[in-house]
Amino acid sequence: MTIKLKDADKFGEVTKKVLDMKPNNQLVIWLDYKKGDSFKKESQKADHKYISAPNVSQVLNTSDVMIEGNFTIQEAKDMASILNAGALPVKLVEKYSTSVGAQFGEQALNDTVFAGIIG
């Protein structure tokens, strides 16, 4: 599976750090990572929170990256969909909210009808 990254230099730095961690040179792609999560513990679970954990065999200063592994076609499609769509879950915190009364809807409807008549 091939993915395209935004910053080749940054990925090169990351892959160098991971490669230097041999023999534990897996680049773990997490789903819902929380501080304190452990790849070693998660890898023992049947339903782990990471998407993939490919080994890094060289420093990769490129924006085109291939993840190799024994994936079924469906697993590869699912992983590609998650990564390419940017659909990795993020925690959202509401900073501001406002409510609008029904009068604005009525006003918008009246304005739309008026614009339609003029048009």
Side-chain angles (χ1 to χ4, degrees):
M1 180 181 85
T2 303
I3 58 174
K4 185 139 184 91
L5 303 172
K6 291 181 183 177
D7 190 338
D9 292 333
K10 191 176 219 179
F11 192 65
E13 291 173 24
V14 169
T15 55
K16 178 167 180 2
K17 285 180 184 177
V18 173
L19 186 60
D20 291 344
M21 296 166 54
K22 271 187 175 178
N24 302 314
N25 55 322
Q26 282 96 7
L27 178 63
V28 183
I29 304 168
W30 285 92
L31 188 62
D32 292 339
Y33 175 81
K34 291 186 177 129
K35 187 175 180 180
D37 281 345
S38 162
F39 171 68
K40 187 175 182 180
K41 288 179 185 175
E42 283 294 317
S43 65
Q44 304 301 315
K45 298 177 182 177
D47 188 24
H48 48 76
K49 295 190 326 183
Y50 61 88
I51 298 170
S52 182
N55 287 326
V56 176
S57 58
Q58 62 184 336
V59 176
L60 301 168
N61 287 314
T62 181
S63 59
D64 295 311
V65 180
M66 180 180 287
I67 299 174
E68 296 176 349
N70 295 322
F71 305 111
T72 65
I73 292 173
Q74 189 58 49
E75 288 170 335
K77 285 180 181 179
D78 291 345
M79 189 183 333
S81 294
I82 290 170
L83 294 173
N84 289 329
L88 296 176
V90 294
K91 186 175 182 178
L92 300 177
V93 177
E94 184 177 346
K95 296 288 185 182
Y96 175 80
S97 66
T98 186
S99 61
V100 177
Q103 68 185 23
F104 289 112
E106 183 179 348
Q107 182 181 355
L109 177 61
N110 291 336
D111 291 345
T112 302
V113 170
F114 182 67
I117 292 169
I118 292 175

